[in-house]
Amino acid sequence: MIADSMVSLVKNSSVIRAMFEEGNRLAKLYGAENVYDFSLGNPNVPAPAEVNEAVKDIVDNEESTFIHGYMSNAGYEDVRQTIAESLNRRFGTHFNHTNIVMTVGAAGGLNTIFKTLLNPGEEVMTFAPFFGEYRNYVSNFGGKLVVVSPNTVDFQPKLDEFEAKITPKTRAVIVNNPNNPTGVVYSEDTIKKMAAIMDKKQKEYGTEIYLIADEPYRELAYDGVDVPYLTKYYDNTIVGYSYSKSLSLPGERIGYLVIPDEVTDSEDVKSAASVATRILGFVNAPSLMQRVVAKCVDAQVNLEAYDKNRKAIYEGLTKLGFECVKPEGAFYLFVKSPVEDETVFCEAAKKHNILMVPASSFGCPGYVRIAYCVSYDTIVNSLPHFAEVAKEMGL
Ligand code: PLP
């Protein structure tokens, strides 16, 4: 007997697992090189050399009981200070180690901050399309996710609807920039307007509304596009960062929260986040990986590989007549389904061994997500098959 709340969660998860298994099944049947699996956001670009060197250096030269031991729940102080200084250099902020809580990736960080902030029945707002796990992270703590409908013109948030949906129960707003699944970067103009609305509503209701910046894709931005650092625009901002994509370390589970001093009741929020990390069962972020990322604060995955893929898939599909959102960041392409029900499009593509994710799971039916963190050859070789699908769909 499992908990009632888990029954539907298991059912939903099995859809994703089914897609994963479908990829494996097709690979066995036709050979991996003949399957074009664009379903998973699992980085294909290796971690930078600095990561390997750091691991070796640390295990060879630091004391075992130190590198594998417990530390304070918020993480090693020197690691947090190194990260704070790196942020200050890059964004002109003024953080120190007390503003950083090391987390078990972005997922761990978001669960930690929702545990810290949410009372049952309170609302968290987000903008569709959005990372589907938000729904679970919020409901884990009895919160309710309130979704602002998608603006399918340019996929910047719909600010009128946002303002109208803020209530006295709104505790937080979560934004993901660059965005999964669209690849769009919310502009500085958007962020300034969003901050002004939130300031106004805080005053109107006499509440604190926290802005949570979910930023695992911050470093994956192309053509020199500016990704605004949100703490500069709104005092009650908390940043959730992860090295899963920026250093290609998703299985290592390492990231951090930034809780600036400007946040209302900052000291309480910081202490509560450290306690939340512990009692959620994380205890602390993985110790070896904390020490590794501190040595790699200036390292970067090979962004050119993603950029080359981005151009190839965007240009390839656009030429075939598919309507695609021009991606400026992350490693996703968001494509309008040529037929109203995007699952029909996904099924048609699957017959050509192409796997894509229907965007209903991101709160945006009628679109599909293509994760282009695959080999360049996969993209090039998939294009003739996409051409067949385009023909069948009447493009
Ligand atoms: N937030 C977004 C928008 C993501 O796309 C992901 C992972 O794909 C996460 C959070 C979770 O990242 P992590 O692996 O660091 O927990």
Side-chain angles (χ1 to χ4, degrees), residues 10 36 54 77 85 109 140 154 164 166 178 210 250 257 263 281 303 307 322 327 335 338 372 388 392:
V10 171
Y36 313 103
E77 194 172 310
E85 286 169 13
N140 279 346
D154 59 6
I166 299 177
Y210 293 91
L257 289 169
V263 163
L303 204 57
D307 196 13
F322 290 104
V335 184
Y372 58 79
E388 296 289 318
E392 286 169 25

Side-chain angles (χ1 to χ4, degrees), residues 48-71:
E50 287 94 325
V51 169
N52 275 357
E53 282 152 24
V55 173
K56 286 187 211 142
D57 182 38
I58 294 164
V59 294
D60 284 348
N61 298 312
E62 292 188 37
E63 210 182 308
S64 171
T65 50
F66 174 62
I67 58 175
H68 303 302
Y70 289 126
M71 79 303 299

Side-chain angles (χ1 to χ4, degrees), residues 76-91:
Y76 290 108
E77 194 172 310
D78 62 327
V79 169
R80 290 150 65 209
Q81 185 64 28
T82 302
I83 290 170
E85 286 169 13
S86 154
L87 294 173
N88 296 344
R89 276 195 304 276
R90 292 160 61 204
F91 306 116

Side-chain angles (χ1 to χ4, degrees), residues 222-333:
Y222 311 102
D223 298 336
V225 65
D226 179 43
V227 184
Y229 203 74
L230 300 199
T231 61
K232 294 200 281 195
Y233 301 88
Y234 182 73
D235 281 352
N236 267 341
T237 298
I238 294 166
V239 180
Y241 185 82
S242 162
Y243 293 94
S244 293
K245 318 288 156 122
S246 64
L247 292 182
S248 288
L249 296 174
E252 300 295 353
R253 315 305 306 135
I254 184 74
Y256 59 82
L257 289 169
V258 184
I259 305 171
D261 290 338
E262 288 77 7
V263 163
T264 305
D265 294 334
S266 173
E267 290 310 312
D268 285 351
V269 177
K270 289 188 228 170
S271 335
S274 300
V275 173
T277 294
R278 190 187 89 228
I279 64 181
L280 285 172
F282 301 131
V283 181
N284 54 252
S287 55
L288 174 60
M289 280 302 130
Q290 288 191 44
R291 306 220 60 76
V292 168
V293 296
K295 283 183 177 283
C296 298
V297 278
D298 297 319
Q300 172 98 64
V301 285
N302 178 7
L303 204 57
E304 278 155 33
Y306 289 138
D307 196 13
K308 191 173 163 198
N309 285 1
R310 174 180 76 113
K311 288 177 177 141
I313 189 88
Y314 175 74
E315 280 160 24
L317 293 196
T318 309
K319 258 190 211 144
L320 291 173
F322 290 104
E323 206 179 297
C324 307
V325 181
K326 180 133 205 235
E328 300 177 290
F331 40 47
Y332 304 109
L333 180 69

Side-chain angles (χ1 to χ4, degrees), residues 26-158:
L26 292 174
K28 265 194 209 128
L29 219 56
Y30 301 105
E33 70 286 6
N34 297 314
V35 178
Y36 313 103
D37 188 349
F38 297 106
S39 61
L40 281 184
N42 200 6
N44 72 308
V45 170
E50 287 94 325
V51 169
N52 275 357
E53 282 152 24
V55 173
K56 286 187 211 142
D57 182 38
I58 294 164
V59 294
D60 284 348
N61 298 312
E62 292 188 37
E63 210 182 308
S64 171
T65 50
F66 174 62
I67 58 175
H68 303 302
Y70 289 126
M71 79 303 299
S72 79
N73 299 135
Y76 290 108
E77 194 172 310
D78 62 327
V79 169
R80 290 150 65 209
Q81 185 64 28
T82 302
I83 290 170
E85 286 169 13
S86 154
L87 294 173
N88 296 344
R89 276 195 304 276
R90 292 160 61 204
F91 306 116
T93 47
H94 50 271
F95 304 131
N96 62 50
H97 73 274
T98 67
N99 300 112
I100 309 290
V101 176
M102 301 305 293
T103 63
V104 180
L110 294 175
N111 276 277
T112 296
I113 203 61
F114 288 139
K115 174 82 178 161
T116 299
L117 297 177
L118 281 184
N119 294 299
E122 288 181 338
E123 294 168 355
V124 176
M125 294 184 70
T126 198
F127 302 91
F130 63 94
F131 180 53
E133 292 287 78
Y134 290 165
R135 211 173 273 294
N136 302 324
Y137 300 165
V138 169
S139 74
N140 279 346
F141 308 101
K144 184 179 157 209
L145 191 73
V146 175
V147 177
V148 176
S149 66
N151 155 14
T152 52
V153 177
D154 59 6
F155 289 93
Q156 295 286 321
K158 268 191 192 166

